[in-house]
Amino acid sequence: MITEDYCSDEVANLLRKKGFIEPVTELNKLLIKDGEKPVLKITIQNAMKWLRIAHNIMVSPYALSLGYYFEIFDLANRDITGCKPLHKVGIPNKEAVSSTYEEACDAANKYDVENLI
């Protein structure tokens, strides 16, 4: 079964502070209660799409033998050789590697909002 994956609450709060507007999804409608607004869920896909469209930042997760890591590229600065790397690490140390693709995407989104926007 395929499920939707969401940003961590920490990343969702950082995204909101940088101007991301929460989508009104059926899940978020269920979370809204009288008079209080909880941390609404932001999908990893929506966060990555917002970074591409609003900030010309592309997250590129990839697999390693130890797990998953990511690189980040500047879509506004490209030439025949490709996009300018904004965050590129040759071989990351074991502590930096995520155990899942989704965790690597969330870590990349966190890096983007903390360091690039």
Side-chain angles (χ1 to χ4, degrees):
M1 178 175 171
I2 297 174
T3 60
E4 191 68 73
D5 293 298
Y6 296 93
C7 295
S8 64
D9 289 344
E10 178 186 11
V11 173
N13 285 327
L14 289 169
L15 285 164
R16 220 174 275 98
K17 287 178 185 174
K18 296 293 184 170
F20 184 91
I21 298 171
E22 300 106 356
V24 179
T25 64
E26 292 304 315
L27 173 62
N28 286 339
K29 287 178 187 175
L30 292 173
L31 292 174
I32 296 173
K33 297 182 172 82
D34 293 331
E36 58 182 85
K37 184 177 179 186
V39 174
L40 299 181
K41 297 294 185 182
I42 298 172
T43 64
I44 290 172
Q45 181 271 339
N46 277 340
M48 291 171 69
K49 184 175 183 178
W50 178 75
L51 289 166
R52 279 192 316 273
I53 293 170
H55 298 285
N56 288 311
I57 296 172
M58 184 181 79
V59 172
S60 182
Y62 59 91
L64 297 167
S65 61
L66 298 173
Y68 294 87
Y69 199 65
F70 61 89
E71 292 179 344
I72 301 169
F73 297 95
D74 180 359
L75 294 174
N77 190 354
R78 49 184 150 174
D79 59 23
I80 196 165
T81 61
C83 297
K84 175 186 172 195
L86 296 171
H87 177 74
K88 188 170 184 149
V89 177
I91 299 175
N93 61 32
K94 187 176 180 178
E95 292 76 36
V97 175
S98 300
S99 59
T100 68
Y101 177 90
E102 293 75 19
E103 288 173 4
C105 291
D106 201 48
N109 290 340
K110 181 178 179 184
Y111 181 89
D112 289 341
V113 295
E114 289 180 337
N115 299 296
L116 301 177
I117 300 176

